[in-house]
Amino acid sequence: MESIKKFGAIIGYTALGIFISVLFIYIAVTSAKEVYSSLFPKAEINDITVEGKVVYNDLFGNLTYYAAADEKAETALTVDAEGLMPISAEEYKTLQKGDVIVGETIQSFLLENLIDIDLFVNFLLFIAFSFIILFALVGVIEAIPVIGKKTVLLGSILKWVYLVLIIVGFSLVYISFGKSVVTAIQAHSGEQIQTEATITDSYSDPGYGRYESSYYYLALSYDDEQGNPIHMTKQVKPSVYYESDDAIMISHPSGDPFKVHFGEAGSMDLFFYLGHLMMYIMIFILTGLFIFVAVLMRRHKKTGSYWKKKDKKQEVV
């Protein structure tokens, strides 16, 4: 009976180990594919005759500029639009209808949005789960006599590579957050110009638990202070999306007509912003925990204890 119990335990632990390994491998591979598709999107080198130009403005005011091969793209959303070619801000200023430019045409602005928090989520997931698998393999190999002694160095190298990649991943998130904060402050600073924008297209994806966040977009057409037309896809908060009609009042700093905003956030926007900031919040918490652990490890190395020793004078009553 005892041998049967041991055999059953071995089978159970083996099945659980295989399940966890397959799950970790699946998450690592899936996140790696997402990172790769974001950094190296499917695109083709092409030349297009410019028929229009559009701008994408994300929730925090970060901008991406595009040349369009079809003038209809100016009144449509850039989300999943075809025939858009990413260009620099300087190219956008000088680009004229009828110009021929050569570059990569893309299928979606998300593929070029290098500050997209989803990219960093997948990057950190890949690091976490792939290195757990590697550490487990190294641990198993190190337990093997003779062979194990030769892999101690490999384990140390993996630990340092893991630490460096974690620092890089966290740094990218902080850079993204800092850039978004600076852009948001700039949009609300200085003399503000108010103007009316026509809504030419819209799209919403509330998520309903299917995704980590909900998304709302408006395609806007308006004129800058010099009367030049601007066509923009703007990611907006739900209150703006549901309260808008055929036109909407927008604000932007004088001399910078692309940094569009719509005023203060309402109560119904609270959970929306929390959803989009959740990754940042998690990284802040994890950073604090890592610093705390590092302090404890350093104290243990110096004193042999993780906690501060109480002063003997304080202990005497």
Side-chain angles (χ1 to χ4, degrees):
M1 181 63 70
E2 194 66 28
S3 59
I4 294 176
K5 287 182 179 180
K6 289 182 179 179
F7 181 74
I10 292 172
I11 295 296
Y13 285 125
T14 301
L16 179 61
I18 293 173
F19 172 77
I20 293 175
S21 300
V22 171
L23 178 63
F24 281 18
I25 292 171
Y26 173 78
I27 294 175
V29 171
T30 302
S31 56
K33 287 182 178 179
E34 292 294 332
V35 171
Y36 181 83
S37 64
S38 295
L39 295 178
F40 306 98
K42 291 182 179 180
E44 58 180 0
I45 303 298
N46 200 359
D47 61 317
I48 66 170
T49 300
V50 178
E51 294 295 333
K53 52 186 181 180
V54 292
V55 182
Y56 171 69
N57 186 327
D58 76 0
L59 188 63
F60 301 102
N62 300 295
L63 303 172
T64 309
Y65 301 88
Y66 297 102
D70 188 344
E71 62 179 356
K72 292 181 179 179
E74 292 186 331
T75 57
L77 295 166
T78 58
V79 183
D80 294 328
E82 297 183 358
L84 295 181
M85 185 176 292
I87 56 177
S88 67
E90 292 301 318
E91 287 178 305
Y92 180 93
K93 293 177 183 178
T94 59
L95 201 63
Q96 300 293 327
K97 186 175 182 178
D99 291 348
V100 178
I101 58 175
V102 178
E104 292 184 343
T105 55
I106 63 172
Q107 297 301 313
S108 170
F109 72 86
L110 288 174
L111 300 178
E112 287 293 328
N113 189 9
L114 297 181
I115 59 169
D116 186 5
I117 194 64
D118 291 337
L119 171 64
F120 304 132
V121 172
N122 286 301
F123 179 70
L124 293 176
L125 283 175
F126 169 71
I127 294 173
F129 285 91
S130 62
F131 274 83
I132 287 174
I133 297 169
L134 290 175
F135 286 146
L137 289 175
V138 170
V140 170
I141 294 173
E142 287 183 348
I144 301 175
V146 182
I147 299 177
K149 295 180 180 179
K150 299 179 181 179
T151 61
V152 174
L153 178 60
L154 175 60
S156 299
I157 293 173
L158 279 175
K159 291 174 185 176
W160 279 106
V161 172
Y162 176 74
L163 180 61
V164 170
L165 289 178
I166 283 291
I167 292 174
V168 170
F170 276 40
S171 299
L172 289 174
V173 174
Y174 277 106
I175 291 171
S176 171
F177 180 75
K179 187 175 185 298
S180 296
V181 170
V182 170
T183 303
I185 292 174
Q186 290 175 343
H188 292 81
S189 301
E191 180 187 355
Q192 295 290 308
I193 303 298
Q194 279 197 331
T195 187
E196 185 177 70
T198 302
I199 298 174
T200 56
D201 199 1
S202 62
Y203 173 75
S204 68
D205 190 345
Y208 297 118
R210 294 173 297 167
Y211 314 111
E212 69 278 4
S213 299
S214 52
Y215 299 89
Y216 302 88
Y217 304 99
L218 294 176
L220 307 174
S221 293
Y222 60 98
D223 294 336
D224 63 13
E225 295 169 80
Q226 287 73 42
N228 301 311
I230 293 176
H231 302 282
M232 172 184 291
T233 291
K234 171 65 179 168
Q235 186 181 4
V236 299
K237 51 200 175 187
S239 61
V240 170
Y241 184 86
Y242 288 115
E243 292 172 8
S244 60
D245 196 3
D246 296 330
I248 188 172
M249 292 301 298
I250 62 174
S251 299
H252 62 79
S254 178
D256 200 343
F258 299 116
K259 289 187 168 63
V260 171
H261 61 92
F262 305 91
E264 302 298 328
S267 58
M268 67 180 297
D269 302 318
L270 176 61
F271 291 105
F272 172 74
Y273 278 108
L274 284 176
H276 284 270
L277 293 172
M278 186 55 66
M279 184 58 190
Y280 293 127
I281 295 171
M282 290 173 62
I283 292 299
F284 297 155
I285 295 173
L286 286 175
T287 302
L289 290 175
F290 281 146
I291 293 173
F292 179 66
V293 170
V295 170
L296 293 181
M297 295 294 290
R298 181 178 177 83
R299 185 181 296 158
H300 183 268
K301 186 176 181 180
K302 284 186 173 182
T303 66
S305 174
Y306 291 109
W307 310 107
K308 286 184 178 180
K309 295 181 179 180
K310 293 183 179 180
D311 193 346
K312 292 183 178 180
K313 293 181 180 180
Q314 294 178 352
E315 293 178 358
V316 177
V317 179

